[in-house]
Amino acid sequence: GGAMDLVAGVKRVVVLMEHTAKGNVHKLLPKCTLPLTGVAVVDLIITNYGVIEITKTGLSVLELAHDITPEYMQAATGVALTFKC
């Protein structure tokens, strides 16, 4: 949430974040539970586990961080992922 002026009318929105919260709690979920800054404006998410593209059909992993397997990333994510890497 926050800073609507940062996402309104821009061509591309990239989110940089830790993949999980304390205690390995999922941060990437099917639906946001926090107040929204913008709806359907994020194009790419870069976490300490890899690079994830937002597509019309869901989240697609483009790149994995060193020593992160697809199985590990999926277990740490609260929504289904597809892997293009």
Side-chain angles (χ1 to χ4, degrees):
M4 181 60 171
D5 58 321
L6 294 177
V7 298
V10 298
K11 292 181 182 178
R12 189 162 171 85
V13 175
V14 177
V15 173
L16 304 172
M17 60 182 262
E18 293 288 328
H19 200 89
T20 58
K22 287 183 181 180
N24 289 324
V25 174
H26 296 159
K27 289 174 112 178
L28 297 173
L29 302 168
K31 183 174 179 165
C32 185
T33 57
L34 300 170
L36 295 175
T37 297
V39 177
V41 296
V42 175
D43 298 292
L44 198 69
I45 301 169
I46 301 173
T47 78
N48 51 316
Y49 291 0
V51 179
I52 304 164
E53 178 182 35
I54 311 301
T55 70
K56 291 181 184 199
T57 58
L59 301 181
S60 182
V61 179
L62 303 178
E63 188 174 340
L64 290 168
H66 180 69
D67 291 338
I68 299 293
T69 65
E71 296 80 15
Y72 186 85
M73 183 183 249
Q74 183 60 76
T77 307
V79 64
L81 300 170
T82 58
F83 292 85
K84 291 185 176 180
C85 53

